[in-house]
Amino acid sequence: MRPEHQAPPEIVYNEDEVDKYENKRMQQIQSIMTDRAVELLELPDDNTPRYILDIGCGSGLSGMQLTENGHYWIGMDIAPAMLDRAVERGVEGDLMLQDMGQGVPFRSGIFDGCISISVLQWLCNADKAKHNPRTRMTIFFQTLYNSMSKGARCVFQFYPENQTQTDLLCSAAKKCGFDGGLVIDFPNATSAKKTFLVLSAGAAPGTSTTFRPPKALSIDDGKSVKIVGNKQEHSSVPGWKKEKKLKVRVKSRAWVMKKKEGQEKKGFKVRENTKYTARKRRDAF
Amino acid sequence: MKLLTHNMLICPKKACMNTSFPMKITASKITQEAEECNMAFLERMVEKIEWVGILSAAKDLNMAGIPETIPENWSQDEMFCNALFSILMNVEITEGSLTCPNCAAEYPIANGIP
């Protein structure tokens, strides 16, 4: 069951859930996704530390990755238990307890980038009676747009439940002035598939280039998935189709032998194999 | 909460957006940290910092010796850079609250988290 269906985020991410994030594998996945998100931010490579906003920072796993890359960051989350763990961990960045649906409370034009790992889908929920996902999205994207500096990128890794959710988020972001699109890594895999919403807040000063979505990762890295708007086009990736299993014709000798082997394994009495095994009887007259 | 963050914060309410800077700090517990001055970062951030915010924070926390405006040639003055960086990054407000100057809403700070 998806965690979004269980309870509001501040309740789901309690002490027990926080402990799950101590898991080595979980941490590895988080750090890989953060690295990929930072890569998608496409910050200029000049070794200057940037000021980055981490939405849904949780226990600070993604933030630690940012610190490792030499950036400074502010983390925002709705779950107090997660933030307390982040403080225990002694993360470098500053933390805030804030619901993203109520907006991003920062002055305009201060962040050089924004990342968010596995959070955005929560915005589609209405956990309280007064919540309206559409208005919450608008408020969120509007305030986020304001707090971004010109040309800064926002990268959201998220798990959309269906196409409607993706469309809703994309259209809300576009309405607020963002430019961007989806990047889907490993679109044909089930668990490795990762959806990134890459948004750019206007064009950087001095450049007039329109937004070009970065390349997605695919099974054989060179070929990528092109994204046009919300539609996803598969380029022909050789070998992405699973090789078909060789089918054994029913009642053929091979099929019968396999059956017999199986039966024998289960402990049934099976007739010995002879040259007559699975041979067809002559048609009756 | 670091003072750099305070310098960026405003009240999230729609009506207060433009008028709620800087937020008033009431601090009951402050810790000091020791991190070395990162010049590259400081240079980037100075463009974004509102000096008014620093002055008001200094007033709220009873810190003295901060100039009224940012001096010219500040990047050559090593003393000043170190001092500014330590004010921004090393002063950590762990307990207290923030008050919006417009709507007077109070946001508590607990365990360093506003």
Side-chain angles (χ1 to χ4, degrees), chain A residues 92 94 97 105 107 110 112, chain B residues 2 5 7-8 44 48 114:
Chain A
E92 291 285 320
D94 234 345
L97 185 67
R107 281 195 293 122
I110 53 167
D112 303 312
Chain B
K2 295 185 176 73
T5 311
N7 209 292
M8 305 298 171
R44 263 193 87 74
K48 294 176 179 175

Side-chain angles (χ1 to χ4, degrees), chain A:
Chain A
M1 191 167 140
R2 292 172 72 96
E4 296 90 64
H5 294 173
Q6 288 168 11
E10 61 272 36
I11 294 165
V12 171
Y13 292 107
N14 54 15
E15 302 279 320
D16 296 340
E17 196 69 18
V18 176
D19 285 336
K20 281 188 195 165
Y21 279 82
E22 297 293 307
N23 182 328
K24 269 270 157 57
R25 190 181 133 69
M26 203 89 157
Q27 291 187 355
Q28 199 189 357
I29 293 173
Q30 288 278 325
S31 72
I32 289 171
M33 288 201 289
T34 314
D35 273 346
R36 177 71 180 135
V38 173
E39 192 186 326
L40 287 172
L41 277 179
E42 292 186 347
L43 298 166
D45 191 18
D46 52 2
N47 278 333
T48 2
R50 309 277 154 166
Y51 202 45
I52 290 173
L53 177 64
D54 182 0
I55 294 168
C57 59
S59 55
L61 288 175
S62 43
M64 270 149 63
Q65 205 65 24
L66 284 175
T67 311
E68 226 161 81
N69 287 333
H71 300 300
Y72 289 83
W73 54 280
I74 290 188
M76 225 172 90
D77 207 293
I78 195 174
M82 289 292 238
L83 290 174
D84 285 341
R85 181 59 58 93
V87 172
E88 272 171 43
R89 229 181 236 161
V91 291
E92 291 285 320
D94 234 345
L95 304 163
M96 299 232 343
L97 185 67
Q98 172 76 9
D99 174 18
M100 63 172 165
Q102 286 172 7
V104 183
F106 294 101
R107 281 195 293 122
S108 53
I110 53 167
F111 289 110
D112 303 312
C114 159
I115 63 162
S116 146
I117 308 293
S118 320
V119 173
L120 204 59
Q121 69 271 14
W122 286 100
L123 211 49
C124 304
N125 279 21
D127 293 321
K128 288 179 188 141
K130 61 177 180 189
H131 281 184
N132 175 356
R134 214 177 278 260
T135 32
R136 280 164 61 79
M137 274 177 210
T138 317
I139 290 173
F140 170 67
F141 282 120
Q142 228 162 34
T143 48
L144 183 68
Y145 187 89
N146 287 341
S147 65
M148 288 291 138
S149 62
K150 271 264 149 50
R153 284 253 176 115
C154 307
V155 178
F156 304 91
Q157 186 276 322
F158 70 117
Y159 297 106
E161 204 175 339
N162 46 38
Q163 189 63 38
T164 330
Q165 283 195 351
T166 323
D167 290 349
L168 207 60
L169 285 166
C170 286
S171 71
K174 273 198 185 124
K175 228 193 297 175
C176 298
F178 278 111
D179 207 358
L182 289 178
V183 174
I184 301 175
D185 283 355
F186 309 112
N188 307 312
T190 39
S191 63
K193 178 178 169 177
K194 293 284 175 294
T195 316
F196 291 89
L197 179 62
V198 183
L199 299 172
S200 128
T207 56
S208 60
T209 44
T210 44
F211 177 78
R212 251 182 276 119
K215 275 203 165 169
L217 296 179
S218 185
I219 297 158
D220 51 353
D221 226 331
K223 301 271 165 61
S224 69
V225 176
K226 243 166 114 193
I227 283 108
V228 181
N230 298 331
K231 264 190 207 153
Q232 178 190 340
E233 285 174 11
H234 293 283
S235 57
S236 55
V237 180
W240 81 271
K241 263 186 193 167
K242 262 190 189 170
E243 261 183 47
K244 268 189 184 169
K245 257 191 193 171
L246 272 177
K247 258 192 178 170
V248 182
R249 200 161 44 82
V250 180
K251 302 276 168 87
S252 68
R253 190 178 157 89
W255 181 82
V256 171
M257 298 280 259
K258 207 180 153 202
K259 279 271 179 198
K260 284 179 90 171
E261 229 172 75
Q263 294 280 314
E264 204 169 12
K265 253 187 209 163
K266 279 186 188 166
F268 290 105
K269 235 181 175 181
V270 179
R271 277 285 186 87
E272 221 175 293
N273 287 333
T274 64
K275 65 176 180 178
Y276 301 109
T277 307
R279 199 184 267 189
K280 227 180 160 193
R281 278 177 212 274
R282 195 169 293 155
D283 288 334
F285 208 2

